[in-house]
Amino acid sequence: SSGINAEWLFHYGGFTIRDTDGNDVFQVKNHVYSQELYNMEGQKVAEITRKKMASRITYHIYSGSEMTERRATLNLRHSGLQKKAHVYIYQPPFASREDPTNIDDMEPDIIIKAKTGNNCPSIGEVEIINKNTGEEYAEISKEKAREVLGETSSRTFLLTAKSGVDVGFMVMCAVFFK
């Protein structure tokens, strides 16, 4: 499993995501309705954009050479007091930015949610799990940032991804949820 030290500094310019050895691995640039993920060579690897005029808070993750391939749709939901999100992953051929969003006939592939007993994920622990198997792909934790990194900033989280999981995709899910 790999740990990513994500310093969530939400200001207009963006923030850098580091691994647990202190190496910069991603740069996130913030915009009003979107965020862009860059590798440290300066190449844009993904973009998350808020869908306007949606009945629920909905974002799309785009990738590909021109950021036109819709790779996933993230839909924020509330279940009682618990915040969670459904993530719908698309298979090739990918929808484009112009294609309508129709997730009504789809089942979510991933669930992002606060861990049991924690109704305020902005200050706690969050898990990213496979909806069908319950397997945890990644977790976002302030407590682990304190334990592993000795980090005491309220704006620093540790994203720990299971081996073989696309860390960039998990970062985009985490950025959306937080």
Side-chain angles (χ1 to χ4, degrees):
S1 109
S2 61
I4 297 292
N5 171 13
E7 296 194 23
W8 307 101
L9 303 176
F10 284 102
H11 53 76
Y12 292 108
F15 53 96
T16 300
I17 297 176
R18 297 175 181 87
D19 65 17
T20 52
D21 294 325
N23 302 308
D24 294 349
V25 288
F26 293 111
Q27 179 72 35
V28 177
K29 293 185 179 177
N30 293 323
H31 302 281
V32 176
Y33 290 105
S34 69
Q35 291 176 309
E36 299 169 333
L37 183 69
Y38 290 84
N39 64 23
M40 295 318 296
E41 289 78 44
Q43 299 165 313
K44 189 193 291 190
V45 294
E47 179 180 324
I48 186 165
T49 304
R50 184 167 184 167
K51 181 180 179 205
K52 298 173 182 109
M53 306 293 288
S55 59
R56 290 194 173 131
I57 297 173
T58 302
Y59 282 77
H60 296 301
I61 294 178
Y62 295 99
S63 194
S65 62
E66 296 183 25
M67 295 298 133
T68 57
E69 298 173 351
R70 186 181 307 150
R71 300 295 179 99
T73 294
L74 300 94
N75 190 263
L76 190 62
R77 296 167 179 262
H78 289 277
S79 173
L81 297 174
Q82 188 179 40
K83 175 180 163 184
K84 69 178 182 176
H86 288 178
V87 181
Y88 304 86
I89 299 175
Y90 298 96
Q91 301 300 319
F94 297 109
S96 72
R97 289 181 182 268
E98 292 76 34
D99 291 332
T101 303
N102 186 2
I103 57 174
D104 296 336
D105 297 331
M106 295 175 70
E107 284 293 318
D109 299 285
I110 295 173
I111 303 291
I112 308 170
K113 65 178 185 166
K115 287 197 174 188
T116 306
N118 182 355
N119 293 328
C120 191
S122 64
I123 60 167
E125 315 301 302
V126 174
E127 60 187 346
I128 303 172
I129 61 172
N130 179 308
K131 185 204 183 267
N132 296 318
T133 67
E135 175 187 9
E136 186 175 278
Y137 290 141
E139 72 174 349
I140 308 160
S141 172
K142 279 189 178 185
E143 186 59 37
K144 287 207 175 162
R146 284 190 277 280
E147 290 172 15
V148 174
L149 305 168
E151 183 60 56
T152 58
S153 169
S154 65
R155 299 177 301 192
T156 301
F157 297 81
L158 184 70
L159 183 142
T160 306
K162 191 173 182 179
S163 181
V165 170
D166 182 339
V167 174
F169 184 74
M170 292 297 113
V171 166
M172 293 307 282
C173 288
V175 165
F176 159 77
F177 198 72
K178 289 309 224 176

